[in-house]
Amino acid sequence: MEKINLAPLFDFARHKPQRDEVLPLIRQFASHDAFRSAVVDELELDEDFYRRPLRPEDLDFLKFQKAITAETVSRLPSLATNRLLLCINELSVPRMPRDAAEFERFEQFYADGNQVAAQRIRPYLESYAFSYLADDTYAQQGPTGHAAAVDALFEAQLTHWKDLFAMLLRNDYLEDGLRFILIQQWALAASRRLPVERAAASGYFASVAPADRPSLGSGVLDDALLGQVAAMLGVDRKPHSYWQFYLPTSLAKTNLLHALGSRPDHAFALLGASFVAETEWLAFGLALAQACPHWVRNSGPAADAAQLLADVKARLRRSADAVQQHNGAAALYRLGQGLGMAVRLAERARWDLGEQLRWLSAIPRYCQWAREIEKRIQAECPGIDRETFVEPREMCSTTHVHSDHRLVVIEEGDMLFWGNLGMKLPLATGEMVLIPDGRLHGSTVVSQECTYHQPIIPDEWINELLTAAERPAVPA
C-alpha cells in the first residue's frame, strides 16, 4: 500500500481555542429541564425518552480543557461528555409522545433552541472525547492488516467475556453482573445501529455491494432471543430507562459511530468502525451462549462462530477492495483509521466494564477495605483531604464517577448506595465503602438527614491493598 498521511479524524488542538465560546453553550444546553439531575424515584426511568439526567451541576467546574486520554476514559469528564453527546446525537431520533400529556415535553425536547445549541457544541465535544483514539497502524497496513485486526479483536473479546463470566461466577454475581452487561450491550444496541443504518440509506457505503456491508444486528443470537434474556434479568424497558447505569466507554462506542455517521467525509472511517462493532457483537453473542446455555437455547452450535467470523472478514476484505478500486488509496486509508479507532476504544471498554464488575461483585470486600483504610487515616493521616456532605431525606445523587479513590463514611444517618440496577447497599452510622477511581455509583438519603465524609485516598494505599489481595495465602 502506498504511503499516505492524512489528518486525524478528530483533533482537539484545532478546537481548543474555541473553549471560552463553547463552555457557556455546553452549560446552556445542559440547563434544559430534560437534563436536570435525578430525583429519588428516577433510578430507573419509565421508558421516558425525553428524560436524561446529566448532573449539570458538574459542568460548573468541568473545564473541558485537557482532552480525554486512554487513561481517563472512566473519569468524570468522559462520563459527562459522552452523556452530553448521546443527548445531542439523539435529538435527530424521532420518538413520538406516548400520550397527549407527553406532547409538550416532546416538543420542548426537539425545540430549535436545543437543536442549535447541540450542533454548536458537538464538534468540540467529539474532538475532546475521541482525539486520543488516533492511530494510523491499521490505516497503513491495508486489507491484510484489517483482517488481522478483526481476528485479534475477536479473540480479545472472547477472552474478555470468558474471564469476566468466570469471575462473576466465582463471586456469586453472575445474574447481577449480566444485568449490568446487558444494559451496556442490549439497551444501547438500537442507538449503535442507528447511525450505521442511516448512513447506509444515505449512500455512505455506495461503493460497497449491499451484501458486503457491515450489519450490527448479526451474530450468534438474534434480537428476539437476546431480548428474552434481557427480560428475564429485568432489563426489559425501552432505552434509555437505564440511563444512570451506562458506563462512559459504553456511551463512547455509541457516540463514535454517530460522530462518524454524521459527516459524509467520514463515511469510509464509519465503514471500518462498523465492522469492528459487528465483530464485538458477534463475540458477545457467542460468549453469552456458552456461559449461559440454560438461558440461551436454540442459538446454534458453537462451530457457527468460526463461519460467522470468516464471513465478517470476507465482507471486510471485499469492502476494502471496492473502496480502493472506486474511491482510491486515501479512502482506504480512512477506512483503516476508523477501524483502528474502534479497536482501540473496544480495548478501553473491556477494561472499564471489567473494573466496574470486579468492584460491584466484591462490595463486601470493599466495605472491609474501607474500614482498614479509615483506621489507617486515623493513625497516620487524620488531616487527609476530604469532602463532607450534609444532605436531607431523599437527596439523590445522580450516578457519577470520581477521578480519585474515595471512601464514603457515614457519620450520622442512613443512605442507600448503588452501582447497578437493583443494587441497594444500606449504609448506616459508622458504616463505609471504598469507591475506586472511575467507578460508577450513586446514592439516596433515607434518614431525616445524613452527614457523611469522602476522604480522598492515595493511589499507593490502594495498590498495597490490591497487591496483598493477590498474594497467595501462607499455609498454616
Side-chain angles (χ1 to χ4, degrees):
M1 181 176 175
E2 63 182 276
K3 185 72 172 178
I4 295 174
N5 284 299
L6 297 179
L9 294 164
F10 300 97
D11 182 4
F12 185 59
R14 292 192 295 109
H15 292 273
K16 189 174 179 179
Q18 303 165 16
R19 190 177 72 92
D20 290 344
E21 174 189 349
V22 170
L23 271 180
L25 293 172
I26 291 174
R27 292 166 185 156
Q28 174 191 329
F29 177 78
S31 68
H32 190 285
D33 187 62
F35 306 141
R36 69 187 185 280
S37 285
V39 296
V40 68
D41 61 351
E42 291 184 316
L43 186 58
E44 180 182 336
L45 302 175
D46 185 20
E47 301 190 352
D48 188 348
F49 187 79
Y50 317 126
R51 181 72 176 102
R52 296 144 186 255
L54 286 182
R55 208 173 136 99
E57 58 268 25
D58 289 343
L59 301 177
D60 291 337
F61 63 84
L62 289 177
K63 302 303 182 185
F64 296 94
Q65 187 166 2
K66 294 182 179 179
I68 293 165
T69 67
E71 291 72 35
T72 62
V73 292
S74 67
R75 291 181 174 171
L76 188 58
S78 178
L79 178 62
T81 298
N82 280 292
R83 280 176 169 172
L84 283 162
L85 281 172
L86 190 62
C87 293
I88 291 168
N89 289 326
E90 294 198 338
L91 285 176
S92 63
V93 177
R95 176 68 66 82
M96 297 302 108
R98 293 174 292 182
D99 51 42
E102 206 171 56
F103 186 79
E104 184 177 354
R105 296 178 60 244
F106 159 74
E107 289 202 323
Q108 288 176 348
F109 186 78
Y110 294 110
D112 285 350
N114 235 16
Q115 300 280 4
V116 171
Q119 295 313 312
R120 291 182 69 183
I121 64 178
R122 180 180 183 173
Y124 187 94
L125 291 174
E126 288 176 339
S127 66
Y128 179 82
F130 300 133
S131 287
Y132 82 93
L133 295 173
D135 183 348
D136 289 354
T137 301
Y138 299 115
Q140 297 286 5
Q141 291 177 350
T144 301
H146 302 162
V150 167
D151 264 331
L153 171 70
F154 184 72
E155 290 304 318
Q157 291 293 130
L158 283 183
T159 299
H160 159 75
W161 291 120
K162 179 182 177 182
D163 292 347
L164 199 56
F165 289 143
M167 181 272 293
L168 294 174
L169 196 59
R170 286 195 306 272
N171 290 357
D172 194 24
Y173 199 75
L174 184 59
E175 263 193 54
D176 292 302
L178 277 171
R179 185 177 300 114
F180 191 85
I181 289 167
L182 285 169
I183 289 172
Q184 316 308 311
Q185 297 289 110
W186 174 245
L188 279 168
S191 294
R192 288 199 185 112
R193 292 169 183 170
L194 180 66
V196 181
E197 293 168 353
R198 183 183 286 170
S202 299
Y204 277 51
F205 307 149
S207 306
V208 178
D212 290 338
R213 296 171 186 173
S215 172
L216 273 60
S218 62
V220 175
L221 305 179
D222 62 29
D223 278 4
L225 186 56
L226 193 51
Q228 290 173 18
V229 175
M232 284 190 288
L233 291 166
V235 186
D236 57 353
R237 293 178 181 266
K238 291 181 181 177
H240 298 291
S241 296
Y242 312 106
W243 173 268
Q244 291 212 57
F245 299 104
Y246 292 149
L247 288 174
T249 49
S250 302
L251 293 166
K253 289 199 295 182
T254 304
N255 289 325
L256 178 62
L257 294 174
H258 278 276
L260 298 174
S262 66
R263 298 165 171 82
D265 58 317
H266 288 3
F268 303 110
L270 176 65
L271 185 62
S274 299
F275 275 109
V276 170
E278 180 179 355
T279 304
E280 287 187 272
W281 189 254
L282 171 61
F284 170 66
L286 175 64
L288 185 63
Q290 291 177 338
C292 306
H294 53 297
W295 282 337
V296 182
R297 297 184 178 91
N298 303 319
S299 58
D304 287 352
Q307 182 179 346
L308 288 167
L309 178 61
D311 174 64
V312 172
K313 291 194 297 181
R315 285 186 285 113
L316 173 59
R317 181 60 188 249
R318 291 194 296 269
S319 295
D321 289 344
V323 165
Q324 186 169 31
Q325 178 182 351
H326 296 293
N327 310 109
L332 181 64
Y333 185 94
R334 287 294 194 206
L335 185 155
Q337 279 186 315
L339 183 144
M341 291 182 72
V343 165
R344 192 173 190 197
L345 181 52
E347 186 278 325
R348 292 284 74 201
R350 292 195 298 270
W351 169 82
D352 194 19
L353 177 62
E355 290 300 300
Q356 181 76 12
L357 288 174
R358 269 182 276 278
W359 174 59
L360 289 174
S361 66
I363 282 292
R365 176 186 297 175
Y366 282 83
C367 290
Q368 175 60 39
W369 281 348
R371 290 189 287 273
E372 294 175 19
I373 291 171
E374 178 66 6
K375 289 179 183 177
R376 183 172 181 180
I377 289 173
Q378 298 305 322
E380 300 179 24
C381 301
I384 199 168
D385 288 344
R386 72 182 69 218
E387 292 188 74
T388 297
F389 302 86
V390 181
E391 296 178 346
R393 182 186 294 276
E394 295 197 344
M395 181 69 181
C396 179
S397 176
T398 303
T399 51
H400 58 285
V401 297
H402 298 293
S403 297
D404 41 41
H405 311 291
R406 297 187 177 210
L407 302 187
V408 170
V409 181
I410 310 298
E411 178 182 313
E412 186 173 4
D414 300 276
M415 73 161 50
L416 292 177
F417 180 90
W418 61 75
N420 192 3
L421 182 66
M423 174 183 173
K424 291 182 179 179
L425 175 70
L427 295 177
T429 299
E431 294 183 323
M432 57 199 74
V433 64
L434 168 61
I435 310 168
D437 168 7
R439 294 306 105 224
L440 189 71
H441 65 282
S443 61
T444 296
V445 173
V446 293
S447 55
Q448 193 63 30
E449 187 175 82
C450 185
T451 300
Y452 63 97
H453 307 283
Q454 289 188 356
I456 299 171
I457 312 306
D459 287 347
E460 54 267 26
W461 288 21
I462 303 299
N463 292 336
E464 288 172 17
L465 285 171
L466 294 175
T467 300
E470 293 171 358
R471 191 179 300 132
V474 178

PDB file of all heavy atoms in Angstrom, residues 66 74 120 133 139-140 142 156 185 193 208 211 217 226 231 237 252 286 298 306 314 325 333 337 394 414 419 429 454:
ATOM      1  N   LYS A  66      -8.386  19.661  29.077  1.00  0.00           N
ATOM      2  CA  LYS A  66      -7.449  18.586  28.768  1.00  0.00           C
ATOM      3  C   LYS A  66      -8.240  17.436  28.179  1.00  0.00           C
ATOM      4  O   LYS A  66      -9.060  16.821  28.858  1.00  0.00           O
ATOM      5  CB  LYS A  66      -6.720  18.132  30.032  1.00  0.00           C
ATOM      6  CG  LYS A  66      -5.807  19.197  30.607  1.00  0.00           C
ATOM      7  CD  LYS A  66      -5.065  18.674  31.832  1.00  0.00           C
ATOM      8  CE  LYS A  66      -4.132  19.737  32.397  1.00  0.00           C
ATOM      9  NZ  LYS A  66      -3.427  19.245  33.612  1.00  0.00           N
ATOM     10  N   SER A  74     -12.603   6.503  32.057  1.00  0.00           N
ATOM     11  CA  SER A  74     -13.634   6.173  33.037  1.00  0.00           C
ATOM     12  C   SER A  74     -13.921   7.321  33.993  1.00  0.00           C
ATOM     13  O   SER A  74     -14.745   7.170  34.905  1.00  0.00           O
ATOM     14  CB  SER A  74     -13.215   4.934  33.842  1.00  0.00           C
ATOM     15  OG  SER A  74     -12.086   5.227  34.643  1.00  0.00           O
ATOM     16  N   ARG A 120     -23.775  23.417  17.849  1.00  0.00           N
ATOM     17  CA  ARG A 120     -22.645  24.323  18.065  1.00  0.00           C
ATOM     18  C   ARG A 120     -21.588  23.702  18.971  1.00  0.00           C
ATOM     19  O   ARG A 120     -20.396  23.977  18.819  1.00  0.00           O
ATOM     20  CB  ARG A 120     -23.150  25.648  18.658  1.00  0.00           C
ATOM     21  CG  ARG A 120     -23.975  26.468  17.680  1.00  0.00           C
ATOM     22  CD  ARG A 120     -24.407  27.786  18.284  1.00  0.00           C
ATOM     23  NE  ARG A 120     -23.282  28.693  18.485  1.00  0.00           N
ATOM     24  CZ  ARG A 120     -23.390  29.895  19.062  1.00  0.00           C
ATOM     25  NH1 ARG A 120     -24.565  30.305  19.513  1.00  0.00           N
ATOM     26  NH2 ARG A 120     -22.331  30.667  19.203  1.00  0.00           N
ATOM     27  N   LEU A 133      -7.954   8.508  20.263  1.00  0.00           N
ATOM     28  CA  LEU A 133      -8.097   7.257  19.512  1.00  0.00           C
ATOM     29  C   LEU A 133      -7.291   7.252  18.213  1.00  0.00           C
ATOM     30  O   LEU A 133      -7.198   6.215  17.551  1.00  0.00           O
ATOM     31  CB  LEU A 133      -9.572   7.006  19.192  1.00  0.00           C
ATOM     32  CG  LEU A 133     -10.487   6.751  20.393  1.00  0.00           C
ATOM     33  CD1 LEU A 133     -11.939   6.679  19.944  1.00  0.00           C
ATOM     34  CD2 LEU A 133     -10.093   5.472  21.118  1.00  0.00           C
ATOM     35  N   ALA A 139      -4.414   1.788   9.291  1.00  0.00           N
ATOM     36  CA  ALA A 139      -4.577   2.567   8.068  1.00  0.00           C
ATOM     37  C   ALA A 139      -3.405   2.336   7.125  1.00  0.00           C
ATOM     38  O   ALA A 139      -3.563   2.295   5.904  1.00  0.00           O
ATOM     39  CB  ALA A 139      -4.706   4.052   8.406  1.00  0.00           C
ATOM     40  N   GLN A 140      -2.211   2.166   7.686  1.00  0.00           N
ATOM     41  CA  GLN A 140      -1.017   1.962   6.862  1.00  0.00           C
ATOM     42  C   GLN A 140      -0.893   0.526   6.362  1.00  0.00           C
ATOM     43  O   GLN A 140      -0.205   0.266   5.378  1.00  0.00           O
ATOM     44  CB  GLN A 140       0.242   2.324   7.674  1.00  0.00           C
ATOM     45  CG  GLN A 140       0.323   3.776   8.112  1.00  0.00           C
ATOM     46  CD  GLN A 140       0.667   4.721   6.963  1.00  0.00           C
ATOM     47  OE1 GLN A 140       0.749   4.305   5.807  1.00  0.00           O
ATOM     48  NE2 GLN A 140       0.833   5.993   7.282  1.00  0.00           N
ATOM     49  N   GLY A 142      -3.383  -1.681   5.297  1.00  0.00           N
ATOM     50  CA  GLY A 142      -4.263  -2.107   4.225  1.00  0.00           C
ATOM     51  C   GLY A 142      -5.102  -3.314   4.598  1.00  0.00           C
ATOM     52  O   GLY A 142      -5.164  -3.724   5.763  1.00  0.00           O
ATOM     53  N   ALA A 156      -9.628 -11.287  21.524  1.00  0.00           N
ATOM     54  CA  ALA A 156      -9.562 -10.484  22.745  1.00  0.00           C
ATOM     55  C   ALA A 156     -10.929 -10.376  23.405  1.00  0.00           C
ATOM     56  O   ALA A 156     -11.048 -10.452  24.634  1.00  0.00           O
ATOM     57  CB  ALA A 156      -9.013  -9.090  22.439  1.00  0.00           C
ATOM     58  N   GLN A 185     -24.852  -3.538  26.623  1.00  0.00           N
ATOM     59  CA  GLN A 185     -24.908  -4.164  25.295  1.00  0.00           C
ATOM     60  C   GLN A 185     -26.293  -4.038  24.657  1.00  0.00           C
ATOM     61  O   GLN A 185     -26.451  -3.472  23.581  1.00  0.00           O
ATOM     62  CB  GLN A 185     -24.530  -5.638  25.421  1.00  0.00           C
ATOM     63  CG  GLN A 185     -23.120  -5.888  25.914  1.00  0.00           C
ATOM     64  CD  GLN A 185     -22.076  -5.534  24.883  1.00  0.00           C
ATOM     65  OE1 GLN A 185     -21.337  -4.564  25.051  1.00  0.00           O
ATOM     66  NE2 GLN A 185     -22.001  -6.290  23.819  1.00  0.00           N
ATOM     67  N   ARG A 193     -26.865   0.951  16.322  1.00  0.00           N
ATOM     68  CA  ARG A 193     -27.192   0.557  14.951  1.00  0.00           C
ATOM     69  C   ARG A 193     -27.673   1.727  14.108  1.00  0.00           C
ATOM     70  O   ARG A 193     -27.454   1.768  12.893  1.00  0.00           O
ATOM     71  CB  ARG A 193     -28.272  -0.531  14.978  1.00  0.00           C
ATOM     72  CG  ARG A 193     -27.806  -1.844  15.550  1.00  0.00           C
ATOM     73  CD  ARG A 193     -28.972  -2.787  15.789  1.00  0.00           C
ATOM     74  NE  ARG A 193     -28.530  -4.025  16.397  1.00  0.00           N
ATOM     75  CZ  ARG A 193     -29.341  -4.939  16.883  1.00  0.00           C
ATOM     76  NH1 ARG A 193     -30.658  -4.742  16.846  1.00  0.00           N
ATOM     77  NH2 ARG A 193     -28.873  -6.049  17.413  1.00  0.00           N
ATOM     78  N   VAL A 208     -19.765  -0.080  -1.900  1.00  0.00           N
ATOM     79  CA  VAL A 208     -19.737  -1.461  -1.421  1.00  0.00           C
ATOM     80  C   VAL A 208     -21.057  -2.157  -1.751  1.00  0.00           C
ATOM     81  O   VAL A 208     -22.132  -1.587  -1.557  1.00  0.00           O
ATOM     82  CB  VAL A 208     -19.496  -1.492   0.107  1.00  0.00           C
ATOM     83  CG1 VAL A 208     -19.513  -2.909   0.635  1.00  0.00           C
ATOM     84  CG2 VAL A 208     -18.173  -0.799   0.436  1.00  0.00           C
ATOM     85  N   ALA A 211     -24.616  -6.661  -0.010  1.00  0.00           N
ATOM     86  CA  ALA A 211     -24.387  -7.916   0.715  1.00  0.00           C
ATOM     87  C   ALA A 211     -23.068  -7.908   1.489  1.00  0.00           C
ATOM     88  O   ALA A 211     -22.862  -8.749   2.377  1.00  0.00           O
ATOM     89  CB  ALA A 211     -24.391  -9.092  -0.259  1.00  0.00           C
ATOM     90  N   GLY A 217     -26.597  -6.094  13.595  1.00  0.00           N
ATOM     91  CA  GLY A 217     -27.607  -6.946  14.202  1.00  0.00           C
ATOM     92  C   GLY A 217     -27.350  -8.423  13.992  1.00  0.00           C
ATOM     93  O   GLY A 217     -28.150  -9.267  14.417  1.00  0.00           O
ATOM     94  N   LEU A 226     -32.178 -12.582  22.489  1.00  0.00           N
ATOM     95  CA  LEU A 226     -31.439 -11.754  23.428  1.00  0.00           C
ATOM     96  C   LEU A 226     -32.393 -10.875  24.227  1.00  0.00           C
ATOM     97  O   LEU A 226     -32.187 -10.634  25.428  1.00  0.00           O
ATOM     98  CB  LEU A 226     -30.423 -10.889  22.687  1.00  0.00           C
ATOM     99  CG  LEU A 226     -29.363 -10.186  23.536  1.00  0.00           C
ATOM    100  CD1 LEU A 226     -28.666 -11.169  24.460  1.00  0.00           C
ATOM    101  CD2 LEU A 226     -28.362  -9.474  22.662  1.00  0.00           C
ATOM    102  N   ALA A 231     -35.142  -9.620  29.335  1.00  0.00           N
ATOM    103  CA  ALA A 231     -36.393  -9.537  30.093  1.00  0.00           C
ATOM    104  C   ALA A 231     -36.326 -10.422  31.340  1.00  0.00           C
ATOM    105  O   ALA A 231     -36.811 -10.037  32.412  1.00  0.00           O
ATOM    106  CB  ALA A 231     -37.564  -9.945  29.212  1.00  0.00           C
ATOM    107  N   ARG A 237     -37.143  -2.721  29.686  1.00  0.00           N
ATOM    108  CA  ARG A 237     -37.744  -1.449  29.294  1.00  0.00           C
ATOM    109  C   ARG A 237     -37.007  -0.855  28.111  1.00  0.00           C
ATOM    110  O   ARG A 237     -35.863  -1.200  27.827  1.00  0.00           O
ATOM    111  CB  ARG A 237     -37.723  -0.472  30.469  1.00  0.00           C
ATOM    112  CG  ARG A 237     -38.621  -0.897  31.627  1.00  0.00           C
ATOM    113  CD  ARG A 237     -38.493   0.098  32.771  1.00  0.00           C
ATOM    114  NE  ARG A 237     -39.328  -0.298  33.905  1.00  0.00           N
ATOM    115  CZ  ARG A 237     -40.553   0.146  34.099  1.00  0.00           C
ATOM    116  NH1 ARG A 237     -41.102   1.000  33.240  1.00  0.00           N
ATOM    117  NH2 ARG A 237     -41.234  -0.240  35.148  1.00  0.00           N
ATOM    118  N   ALA A 252     -19.397   5.952  24.759  1.00  0.00           N
ATOM    119  CA  ALA A 252     -18.413   6.392  23.771  1.00  0.00           C
ATOM    120  C   ALA A 252     -18.468   5.540  22.503  1.00  0.00           C
ATOM    121  O   ALA A 252     -18.334   6.055  21.383  1.00  0.00           O
ATOM    122  CB  ALA A 252     -17.012   6.370  24.367  1.00  0.00           C
ATOM    123  N   LEU A 286     -21.727 -15.062  21.143  1.00  0.00           N
ATOM    124  CA  LEU A 286     -21.144 -16.392  21.308  1.00  0.00           C
ATOM    125  C   LEU A 286     -20.794 -16.649  22.773  1.00  0.00           C
ATOM    126  O   LEU A 286     -21.109 -17.713  23.324  1.00  0.00           O
ATOM    127  CB  LEU A 286     -19.892 -16.525  20.441  1.00  0.00           C
ATOM    128  CG  LEU A 286     -19.116 -17.830  20.598  1.00  0.00           C
ATOM    129  CD1 LEU A 286     -19.955 -19.010  20.149  1.00  0.00           C
ATOM    130  CD2 LEU A 286     -17.809 -17.767  19.829  1.00  0.00           C
ATOM    131  N   ASN A 298     -31.221 -22.885  21.667  1.00  0.00           N
ATOM    132  CA  ASN A 298     -31.503 -22.857  20.225  1.00  0.00           C
ATOM    133  C   ASN A 298     -30.743 -21.745  19.502  1.00  0.00           C
ATOM    134  O   ASN A 298     -31.227 -21.148  18.562  1.00  0.00           O
ATOM    135  CB  ASN A 298     -33.015 -22.674  19.979  1.00  0.00           C
ATOM    136  CG  ASN A 298     -33.835 -23.753  20.647  1.00  0.00           C
ATOM    137  OD1 ASN A 298     -33.453 -24.917  20.630  1.00  0.00           O
ATOM    138  ND2 ASN A 298     -34.951 -23.363  21.254  1.00  0.00           N
ATOM    139  N   ALA A 306     -16.899 -19.662  13.994  1.00  0.00           N
ATOM    140  CA  ALA A 306     -15.795 -19.576  13.039  1.00  0.00           C
ATOM    141  C   ALA A 306     -16.301 -19.171  11.664  1.00  0.00           C
ATOM    142  O   ALA A 306     -15.679 -18.345  10.970  1.00  0.00           O
ATOM    143  CB  ALA A 306     -15.062 -20.914  12.978  1.00  0.00           C
ATOM    144  N   ALA A 314     -14.387 -11.740   5.323  1.00  0.00           N
ATOM    145  CA  ALA A 314     -14.520 -11.767   3.862  1.00  0.00           C
ATOM    146  C   ALA A 314     -15.243 -10.518   3.361  1.00  0.00           C
ATOM    147  O   ALA A 314     -14.848  -9.905   2.354  1.00  0.00           O
ATOM    148  CB  ALA A 314     -15.266 -13.028   3.425  1.00  0.00           C
ATOM    149  N   GLN A 325     -10.737   0.406  -5.130  1.00  0.00           N
ATOM    150  CA  GLN A 325     -10.945   0.443  -6.579  1.00  0.00           C
ATOM    151  C   GLN A 325     -11.756   1.669  -7.009  1.00  0.00           C
ATOM    152  O   GLN A 325     -11.398   2.345  -7.975  1.00  0.00           O
ATOM    153  CB  GLN A 325     -11.670  -0.826  -7.026  1.00  0.00           C
ATOM    154  CG  GLN A 325     -11.984  -0.853  -8.521  1.00  0.00           C
ATOM    155  CD  GLN A 325     -12.757  -2.103  -8.921  1.00  0.00           C
ATOM    156  OE1 GLN A 325     -12.908  -3.023  -8.130  1.00  0.00           O
ATOM    157  NE2 GLN A 325     -13.251  -2.125 -10.145  1.00  0.00           N
ATOM    158  N   TYR A 333      -7.367   4.339   3.269  1.00  0.00           N
ATOM    159  CA  TYR A 333      -6.648   4.789   4.459  1.00  0.00           C
ATOM    160  C   TYR A 333      -7.644   5.223   5.542  1.00  0.00           C
ATOM    161  O   TYR A 333      -7.509   4.871   6.712  1.00  0.00           O
ATOM    162  CB  TYR A 333      -5.732   5.942   4.082  1.00  0.00           C
ATOM    163  CG  TYR A 333      -4.822   6.444   5.165  1.00  0.00           C
ATOM    164  CD1 TYR A 333      -3.521   5.969   5.285  1.00  0.00           C
ATOM    165  CD2 TYR A 333      -5.242   7.419   6.066  1.00  0.00           C
ATOM    166  CE1 TYR A 333      -2.668   6.447   6.278  1.00  0.00           C
ATOM    167  CE2 TYR A 333      -4.399   7.904   7.064  1.00  0.00           C
ATOM    168  CZ  TYR A 333      -3.123   7.412   7.154  1.00  0.00           C
ATOM    169  OH  TYR A 333      -2.276   7.881   8.136  1.00  0.00           O
ATOM    170  N   GLN A 337      -8.327   3.980   9.364  1.00  0.00           N
ATOM    171  CA  GLN A 337      -8.341   4.872  10.533  1.00  0.00           C
ATOM    172  C   GLN A 337      -9.562   4.599  11.419  1.00  0.00           C
ATOM    173  O   GLN A 337      -9.453   4.511  12.640  1.00  0.00           O
ATOM    174  CB  GLN A 337      -8.360   6.337  10.085  1.00  0.00           C
ATOM    175  CG  GLN A 337      -7.005   6.900   9.690  1.00  0.00           C
ATOM    176  CD  GLN A 337      -7.099   8.394   9.391  1.00  0.00           C
ATOM    177  OE1 GLN A 337      -8.019   8.852   8.702  1.00  0.00           O
ATOM    178  NE2 GLN A 337      -6.151   9.162   9.894  1.00  0.00           N
ATOM    179  N   GLU A 394     -34.212  11.852  51.068  1.00  0.00           N
ATOM    180  CA  GLU A 394     -34.499  11.699  49.644  1.00  0.00           C
ATOM    181  C   GLU A 394     -33.583  12.544  48.749  1.00  0.00           C
ATOM    182  O   GLU A 394     -33.846  12.708  47.564  1.00  0.00           O
ATOM    183  CB  GLU A 394     -35.972  11.987  49.323  1.00  0.00           C
ATOM    184  CG  GLU A 394     -36.909  10.973  49.957  1.00  0.00           C
ATOM    185  CD  GLU A 394     -38.290  10.976  49.351  1.00  0.00           C
ATOM    186  OE1 GLU A 394     -38.641  11.950  48.656  1.00  0.00           O
ATOM    187  OE2 GLU A 394     -39.030  10.000  49.581  1.00  0.00           O
ATOM    188  N   ASP A 414     -28.563   7.593  57.464  1.00  0.00           N
ATOM    189  CA  ASP A 414     -28.658   6.374  56.655  1.00  0.00           C
ATOM    190  C   ASP A 414     -28.764   6.746  55.178  1.00  0.00           C
ATOM    191  O   ASP A 414     -29.441   7.716  54.816  1.00  0.00           O
ATOM    192  CB  ASP A 414     -29.898   5.570  57.047  1.00  0.00           C
ATOM    193  CG  ASP A 414     -29.888   5.150  58.505  1.00  0.00           C
ATOM    194  OD1 ASP A 414     -29.272   4.126  58.819  1.00  0.00           O
ATOM    195  OD2 ASP A 414     -30.488   5.880  59.325  1.00  0.00           O
ATOM    196  N   GLY A 419     -24.523   0.833  42.497  1.00  0.00           N
ATOM    197  CA  GLY A 419     -23.709   0.963  41.290  1.00  0.00           C
ATOM    198  C   GLY A 419     -24.242   0.077  40.186  1.00  0.00           C
ATOM    199  O   GLY A 419     -23.602  -0.080  39.149  1.00  0.00           O
ATOM    200  N   THR A 429     -24.990   4.772  60.248  1.00  0.00           N
ATOM    201  CA  THR A 429     -23.969   5.475  61.022  1.00  0.00           C
ATOM    202  C   THR A 429     -22.782   4.559  61.323  1.00  0.00           C
ATOM    203  O   THR A 429     -22.952   3.436  61.799  1.00  0.00           O
ATOM    204  CB  THR A 429     -24.571   5.985  62.339  1.00  0.00           C
ATOM    205  OG1 THR A 429     -25.637   6.894  62.047  1.00  0.00           O
ATOM    206  CG2 THR A 429     -23.525   6.704  63.181  1.00  0.00           C
ATOM    207  N   GLN A 454     -16.075  12.031  52.589  1.00  0.00           N
ATOM    208  CA  GLN A 454     -15.410  11.337  51.490  1.00  0.00           C
ATOM    209  C   GLN A 454     -13.908  11.639  51.529  1.00  0.00           C
ATOM    210  O   GLN A 454     -13.420  12.540  50.836  1.00  0.00           O
ATOM    211  CB  GLN A 454     -15.999  11.750  50.137  1.00  0.00           C
ATOM    212  CG  GLN A 454     -17.393  11.231  49.890  1.00  0.00           C
ATOM    213  CD  GLN A 454     -17.870  11.482  48.467  1.00  0.00           C
ATOM    214  OE1 GLN A 454     -17.200  12.122  47.654  1.00  0.00           O
ATOM    215  NE2 GLN A 454     -19.048  10.978  48.153  1.00  0.00           N
TER     216      GLN A 454
END
